[in-house]
């Protein structure tokens, strides 16, 4: 258990700004591909 905790701490220290930007870019591209946040065709208003 102590080894796993040490491994997690060391791994967290290796995360830098470029890794975070890369992950956020992948998430944004994925959301763009599947259309999250896109408006519904037809307006979707009440009738």
């Amino acid at each position: 258990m102590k080894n796993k905790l040490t491994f997690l701490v060391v791994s967290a220290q290796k995360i830098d700004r470029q890794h975070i930007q890369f992950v956020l870019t992948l998430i944004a591209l994925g959301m763009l591909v599947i259309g999250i946040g896109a408006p519904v065709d037809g307006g979707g208003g009440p009738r």
Side-chain angles (χ1 to χ4, degrees):
M1 183 68 182
K2 186 177 180 184
N3 289 338
K4 288 183 181 180
L5 181 61
T6 304
F7 176 74
L8 288 175
V9 169
V10 170
S11 296
Q13 290 175 348
K14 292 181 181 179
I15 297 174
D16 62 0
R17 184 176 170 206
Q18 285 185 330
H19 290 114
I20 295 170
Q21 286 179 335
F22 180 70
V23 169
L24 291 177
T25 302
L26 287 179
I27 291 171
L29 288 174
M31 290 171 59
L32 182 68
V33 168
I34 62 175
I36 290 179
V40 177
D41 287 342
R47 296 179 184 193

